Amino acid sequence: MTDGKRTPWVVGVSGASGTPYAAAVVRGLLAAGESVDLVVSRASRLTLLDETGIAFRDAHWRADLAEWLGRGADGKPGTFAGFDLDGVRYWGAGDLAAGPSSGSYPVKGMLIVPASTACVAGVALGLSKDLLQRVASVTLKERRRLVVAVRETPLNGQTLKHLVALDEAGAVVLPASPAFYAGATHIQDLVDFVAGRVLDAAGVPHGLYRRWEGELGSARPRE
């Protein structure tokens, strides 16, 4: 936030597998002192329920979000604590009159984590069939930063064309592809690497993973 004016990052969560990535990104934004506008698609609620057992409800979004952010990538409750949700605002996926649906609503940009191939297609084609796609279209037309963390494998030709279209439109296409040079020893390390790369693309400082410093084997434990 600058001069007391709230200028959030919009985090859109689509229906692809990978809800721990979204939780790690939101935690990273909050830890950096950033405000967050959250859009959770209808399809992603099914994925969230399947991957965590959490039923994300509009009327109880704050409690459900706190439980979601508190879980580790292994599903263990209470792994994380201490995050302040006062900087978070939630918008229903069907609310096309929501603030971020307009270019006059001030935001820094949008991070779609994870992005399904259906979401990628909708944004590339400008369909705006729900709030998540609408905000992405607004982000592109306003020339704001859009990071699309696509999570699917393998990718067919049509999806690759859609990703190229997003790149040409100015989006950052960031596959949810964890690396191993940072010395990962737990599934959370792999999730945090991807989340950290998303925050890197947004220009948000964080300490989620060990950066490459040009020394082979530097991430391995010393014997």
Side-chain angles (χ1 to χ4, degrees):
M1 289 184 285
T2 305
D3 299 329
K5 185 176 181 180
R6 185 177 185 278
T7 309
W9 285 96
V10 179
V11 176
V13 187
S14 80
S17 176
T19 54
Y21 292 131
V25 166
V26 173
R27 285 194 300 264
L29 289 170
L30 296 178
E34 300 285 348
S35 297
V36 174
D37 275 23
L38 182 65
V39 181
V40 179
S41 77
R42 290 188 174 92
S44 69
R45 296 181 188 219
L46 297 176
T47 307
L48 181 62
L49 181 63
D50 184 54
E51 294 183 344
T52 70
I54 297 171
F56 197 88
R57 303 159 294 175
D58 287 346
H60 304 280
W61 71 265
R62 185 176 291 271
D64 296 338
L65 178 60
E67 183 180 359
W68 181 12
L69 297 184
R71 288 180 183 259
D74 58 3
K76 183 180 179 181
T79 300
F80 298 97
F83 36 80
D84 184 359
L85 297 184
D86 288 344
V88 180
R89 187 170 186 180
Y90 170 72
W91 302 96
D95 185 5
L96 292 179
S101 67
S102 171
S104 65
Y105 183 87
V107 302
K108 293 182 178 180
M110 183 180 192
L111 316 174
I112 306 179
V113 188
S116 66
T117 55
C119 173
V120 166
V123 176
L125 297 174
L127 298 183
S128 295
K129 73 179 184 64
D130 62 7
L131 181 60
L132 194 157
Q133 292 183 13
R134 169 60 185 169
V135 177
S137 295
V138 169
T139 302
L140 289 175
K141 81 178 181 69
E142 296 294 329
R143 302 297 190 266
R144 296 167 180 159
R145 181 59 57 95
L146 174 64
V147 181
V148 181
V150 60
R151 214 307 306 162
E152 184 59 274
T153 190
L155 296 172
N156 64 29
Q158 197 61 50
T159 297
L160 290 170
K161 291 176 183 178
H162 291 151
L163 292 173
V164 169
L166 290 177
D167 176 79
E168 292 175 343
V172 175
V173 175
L174 195 153
S177 177
F180 294 84
Y181 63 76
T185 59
H186 190 275
I187 186 175
Q188 189 66 53
D189 298 325
L190 299 176
V191 167
D192 285 347
F193 180 87
V194 172
R197 295 298 288 154
V198 171
L199 295 178
D200 287 344
V204 176
H206 66 87
L208 288 176
Y209 69 89
R210 184 187 309 209
R211 297 183 182 277
W212 174 250
E213 296 179 350
E215 181 182 350
L216 291 176
S218 61
R220 291 199 298 268
R222 302 292 183 182
E223 296 183 358

